[in-house]
Amino acid sequence: VQLQASGGGWVQAGGSLRLSCAASRSISSIETMGWYRQYPGEEREPVATRTNGGSTDYADSVKGRFTISTGNPENTLYLQLNSLKPEDTAVYYCYAQITYHDGRYGSRYWGQGTQVTVSS
């Protein structure tokens, strides 16, 4: 699976952005997809996840402000970022986690990252 992330940019605090992650094939069969972010010099941290059953989960720091979803095209994952804060400034990465029918984890695929910058 190839993933192409886009939608990052510069925004003032309180503003909104929508990130997109376009997959090279339908994502309906992919068990879990989501977003991580990475601050300079730090490891990536999870932001939001979504299962193909529709369950979602968010980091405490973004609950109520970010929304993960899928939509048209059917091979696209979105992350809506509202009420942005300067501390949301980071590179955001989408991922797709392959899970086999017997529950074993397969490969995890990553998009190339998109920069979000929030000014105060």
Side-chain angles (χ1 to χ4, degrees):
V1 180
Q2 293 181 323
L3 302 174
Q4 181 75 32
S6 62
W10 177 90
V11 65
Q12 290 189 320
S16 298
L17 287 171
R18 189 175 78 159
L19 307 184
S20 298
C21 179
S24 57
R25 63 174 177 89
S26 173
I27 63 175
S28 62
S29 62
I30 299 176
E31 175 66 23
T32 303
M33 296 189 71
W35 295 87
Y36 274 58
R37 64 186 178 188
Q38 186 171 25
Y39 300 110
E42 298 187 15
E43 294 187 355
R44 295 180 189 179
E45 62 178 39
V47 174
T49 61
R50 186 184 186 280
T51 69
N52 61 359
S55 298
T56 59
D57 193 21
Y58 299 91
D60 288 342
S61 59
V62 307
K63 282 181 180 176
R65 300 189 298 122
F66 292 6
T67 303
I68 189 171
S69 66
T70 60
N72 288 322
E74 293 183 350
N75 64 334
T76 304
L77 179 75
Y78 299 101
L79 186 67
Q80 179 68 39
L81 291 66
N82 295 331
S83 303
L84 281 161
K85 304 175 182 180
E87 52 263 44
D88 294 319
T89 296
V91 178
Y92 285 71
Y93 296 89
C94 60
Y95 75 92
Q97 177 65 59
I98 304 301
T99 304
Y100 297 114
H101 292 302
D102 61 3
R104 290 180 298 118
Y105 288 120
S107 299
R108 174 171 288 198
Y109 299 90
W110 293 93
Q112 84 284 10
T114 184
Q115 175 71 48
V116 171
T117 303
V118 185
S119 64
S120 57

